[in-house]
Amino acid sequence: MVQRNFLSFLIKCIVFLLFFLLLSTELCNAARELSSRGNRKGKWQLLLKNAGVVAMHMALTHYDTVVILDQIGSQQSGYRLKRRLNGTKCDHRNRDSEDWSCYAHSVEYDIMRNKIRPLHINSDTWCSSGSILSDGTIIQTGGYGGGSRRIRYFKPCDHNGRCDWKQNKHSLSDMRWYASNLLLPDKDRVIVVGGRRIFTYEFVPKLSSREKAYDLPFLHKTYERRREGNNLYPFLHLSSDGNLFIFANRDSILFNYKRRKVVKTFPRIPKDGGRSYPSTGSSVILPLDHENGFQKVEVMICGGAAPGAYGAADEGKFLKGLSSCGRMVITGNRHKWKMENMPGPRVMSDMLILPTGHILIINGAKRGCAGWENAASPALEPYLYKPQKRQGRRFTVLKAAKIPRMYHSSAILLPDGRVLVAGSNPNRRYEFKNVKYPTELRLQAFVPDHMDQKFDHRRAHNLSISTSKGEENIGYGREFGVHFWLRGKISSKDVIFSVYAVPFTTHSLSMNQRMLRLKCKKMVKDENGLVNAIVEAPPSANVAPAGYYLLTVVNGGIPSKSQWIRFTHK
């Protein structure tokens, strides 16, 4: 009897000890997690409480303004107009409260002044696409309904406020809703690919009035009718050999657009689930480098939706998104996806290349897919990805946002190193109450840790650019001067000169985004701290299509504020 009681007592002690150890472990893990969250890098700034319109689309101009575009189908927006585009007055108290033409559906945000002004569009830009031409003009194509074949231009100007959207008299050959754009090496020529139930591509401008759209069998092969296509908004990247990388759903090709011929068919990206709209992952080209002659071109694709996510969302079930990322070199002859996992699942996130060459993954959700009310569990924590680090140590979780950025949100890099974050509207109209994720009009900036003042002593300051003949534009392969102030010693190994092609962003795509690391041929610092460097421009339009770029000096991983530079065909 005594033995039995002792054995029972011993078992209870062991159970209690195990419970205590388990509880201690959980408490330690929780404390570690809280400590980790407290130490997560970066900070958030609230810029405006009301930007007027949802940032379904955004583009940065070389006048340091940001053009924001929504759709007219929502009818109302957060910015009432006193007059319509035709000059007639709006009466918001009575008959005009539902008239879309009495509201702004596009605005221009002035970064320095932190102010917005309304712009006018007269056709629906819902789920459209765009590029930025060599003179800085934004070309914007397609949309919904009467806007699906429209071509619009916005030529930015200084602060006189007279520039606005202009609709071109020419139209697209096919309706382009959920299509993608890419600026080509040909001077100011853009390719427009795909669209909802559209399996063609076309060029703007056309070389002749007889030129029409061309069929692309790849789009037929990647289409899934029951999943709303799952190949909309295909990822487009320009390879340094002049061919186009096109990715849709889970497959990809290298396409010679001049000969209208598929050059390569790449292996399918591993893991189940789609990566294109409405599964909506995101993609970048990793920075191109002068050290290999810009010949190594590597793409990266992250996130997406689980198989069946679109159908499940219709039933109110939100499946966990994909955590996987794939990298593949598309030049050379050996092509294989190298897979790795993010810290968590993501769908509808934006991928931006920072001046350091690191990749910022921001916005989106953890469950569901793209579309109205199709997602849940906001992905509030940005991820930072360092491509050069060893696998398993490349991802860092950054400071979480407090504002969900779901469907129809976007993000872009600013010249001062911050990241502008805006939008989110998974609702059919502007809804601010009685919905799970209200329409979001607040404008924020995420400030990466490397832009913190504590690094100012290592940062290049007062950056300027010069040419031998005082030219405003710089031809391919030409040398130009870069001048800046820097404290302390300087090492050519620690200083990187990067240029960044600013994108047109929408639906987790940063169309035309690319970064190059340029060759520094000479760098001298005088006794006062002024550094004079001679830098070589990119060799061709295949490497860097003509246009405005952001030039940044990165010293030991700390970037300067950027200056605009323009490369041209001359």
Side-chain angles (χ1 to χ4, degrees), residues 38-59:
N39 294 329
R40 286 178 180 173
K41 295 180 177 180
K43 62 183 179 182
W44 289 89
Q45 298 174 341
L46 178 63
L47 303 177
L48 290 175
K49 291 183 178 179
N50 183 3
V53 303
V54 170
M56 186 187 296
H57 319 79
M58 287 203 296

Side-chain angles (χ1 to χ4, degrees), residues 226-247:
R226 293 184 179 180
R227 297 181 181 178
E228 197 62 18
N230 235 13
N231 70 343
L232 306 181
Y233 275 128
F235 304 148
L236 305 179
H237 297 300
L238 174 66
S239 178
S240 58
D241 61 7
N243 293 315
L244 306 185
F245 174 82
I246 306 177
F247 182 102

Side-chain angles (χ1 to χ4, degrees), residues 8-23:
S8 175
F9 173 75
L10 186 61
I11 291 171
K12 287 180 180 178
C13 286
I14 291 171
V15 169
F16 176 78
L17 183 61
L18 290 172
F19 174 77
F20 178 77
L21 289 171
L22 180 64
L23 181 62

Side-chain angles (χ1 to χ4, degrees), residues 489-528:
K489 295 181 179 180
I490 188 169
S491 169
S492 59
K493 294 181 180 179
D494 294 331
V495 179
I496 294 171
F497 297 85
S498 70
V499 289
Y500 178 72
V502 297
F504 181 98
T505 68
T506 185
H507 290 77
S508 302
L509 272 73
S510 292
M511 301 178 190
N512 306 286
Q513 178 181 224
R514 68 200 287 118
M515 179 171 286
L516 292 79
R517 289 173 172 164
L518 301 183
K519 182 177 183 180
C520 177
K521 304 187 81 171
K522 184 180 180 181
M523 186 164 56
V524 178
K525 181 181 179 183
D526 69 19
E527 58 185 15
N528 297 316

Side-chain angles (χ1 to χ4, degrees), residues 390-402:
R390 183 164 55 86
Q391 189 166 342
R393 300 197 172 195
R394 293 171 178 162
F395 282 103
T396 306
V397 180
L398 304 179
K399 187 172 182 178
K402 294 181 180 179

Side-chain angles (χ1 to χ4, degrees), residues 256-441:
N256 186 321
Y257 67 92
K258 293 181 179 179
R259 297 171 57 197
R260 304 199 294 273
K261 181 180 178 181
V262 175
V263 179
K264 291 180 183 177
T265 299
F266 295 107
R268 172 171 286 185
I269 192 169
K271 308 291 184 182
D272 291 334
R275 308 280 180 166
S276 302
Y277 185 95
S279 291
T280 307
S282 191
S283 176
V284 293
I285 277 189
L286 296 181
L288 305 179
D289 202 312
H290 72 89
E291 290 190 354
N292 56 45
F294 306 102
Q295 293 307 299
K296 181 182 177 182
V297 181
E298 187 173 8
V299 299
M300 181 176 182
I301 293 171
C302 288
Y310 187 79
D314 281 345
E315 300 174 0
K317 301 174 183 177
F318 306 109
L319 304 182
K320 184 187 290 187
L322 303 183
S323 298
S324 60
C325 293
R327 287 171 58 170
M328 182 174 65
V329 176
I330 64 171
T331 46
N333 298 313
R334 300 180 67 180
H335 310 291
K336 182 180 179 181
W337 288 102
K338 296 180 180 179
M339 305 302 293
E340 54 192 310
N341 286 324
M342 296 183 284
R346 294 191 93 107
V347 62
M348 299 186 294
S349 291
D350 292 276
M351 292 177 71
L352 297 175
I353 311 171
L354 300 182
T356 54
H358 302 156
I359 310 301
L360 180 70
I361 305 175
I362 196 167
N363 295 347
K366 298 178 182 179
R367 293 180 173 272
C369 64
W372 281 320
E373 302 175 358
N374 276 355
S377 304
L380 299 173
E381 297 168 327
Y383 299 154
L384 187 68
Y385 179 83
K386 299 181 179 180
Q388 303 302 324
K389 283 209 166 188
R390 183 164 55 86
Q391 189 166 342
R393 300 197 172 195
R394 293 171 178 162
F395 282 103
T396 306
V397 180
L398 304 179
K399 187 172 182 178
K402 294 181 180 179
I403 300 174
R405 300 290 182 178
M406 308 287 278
Y407 187 47
H408 289 161
S409 63
S410 54
I412 57 170
L413 179 68
L414 298 179
D416 60 15
R418 295 178 300 165
V419 174
L420 187 69
V421 179
S424 185
N425 190 18
N427 313 295
R428 293 178 182 269
R429 300 186 64 177
Y430 280 45
E431 301 285 356
F432 301 101
K433 296 179 180 179
N434 303 319
V435 290
K436 191 169 184 179
Y437 301 109
T439 302
E440 188 53 68
L441 298 180

